[in-house]
Amino acid sequence: MTAASAARILIVGPQGSGKGTQGVRVAEGFGIPVVSTGDIFRANIKGGTELGRKVSDITARGDLVPDELTSEIVRDRLSQDDAASGFLLDGYPRNVAQVGHLDEFLSGRDEALDAVILLDVPREESIARLKLRADEQGRSDDTEEGIAHRLDIYENETAPILAVYGERGIVDRIDGVGSLDEITERIRSALSARGLTLAA
Ligand code: ADP
């Protein structure tokens, strides 16, 4: 097997954009772990941990978990050995304050993000996909109000991080409408244009 190339990637997109699915595919291609804050919170809620108890009401409402708490969890996760030569972040940073926290952490390790994949889908498409997911997965935050609230937070708090990363020239806007394979291919080709090549 070829050695995994170092890649530090962030995938961003509105709820229902498919970023979770695409994130897993891309991370597998690079041999890097996915670090999804939503998954970490859900696993803790399910496991009944102290963190889970702290965040269950917040996530059920679709509000953001406090920045300091979230950033601390991400720092811990990124400090594990498997993230030493790269990682794919999904769901973090989610606002400009968290971008600052991540910058501070990464620069302390002489690292920086290599690419930010923006998975672009229209709001109506997001809502339609989330309604399907609500039926399939029964997530407690996938109610009609929960979905609308999270999309509002995305537009007001998360979308502005793209301006910050845009100034650094690392954002690739990818059309998120199409088949799973088509979208993975678009991402692969954008990353490869940056010199980030999937192993297999
Ligand atoms: P979605 O993208 O569908 O909202 P996620 O799985 O990314 O789902 O996140 C689920 C919930 O976890 C969010 O609504 C929020 O409550 C919490 N969460 C996830 N990531 C963050 C973050 N970076 N900062 C604060 N809260 C977060």
Side-chain angles (χ1 to χ4, degrees), residues 59-117:
T59 58
R61 283 197 303 271
D63 286 331
L64 293 188
V65 172
D67 294 334
E68 261 312 330
L69 178 59
T70 307
S71 292
E72 189 188 325
I73 284 155
V74 173
R75 285 193 293 267
D76 282 353
R77 178 64 189 89
L78 294 182
S79 301
Q80 290 172 25
D81 288 349
D82 65 338
S85 63
F87 50 79
L88 182 140
L89 285 168
D90 168 3
Y92 178 94
R94 221 176 180 90
N95 59 25
V96 172
Q98 294 180 7
V99 170
H101 294 168
L102 180 64
D103 280 346
E104 202 182 321
F105 174 75
L106 291 181
S107 63
R109 303 207 307 188
D110 266 330
E111 293 175 5
L113 289 181
D114 298 304
V116 176
I117 301 295

Side-chain angles (χ1 to χ4, degrees), residues 15 37-38 41-42 59 63 65 91 94 98 133 139 150:
Q15 286 68 19
T37 41
F41 292 142
R42 277 185 292 277
T59 58
D63 286 331
V65 172
R94 221 176 180 90
Q98 294 180 7
R133 185 174 83 185
R139 261 174 58 168
R150 274 156 44 236

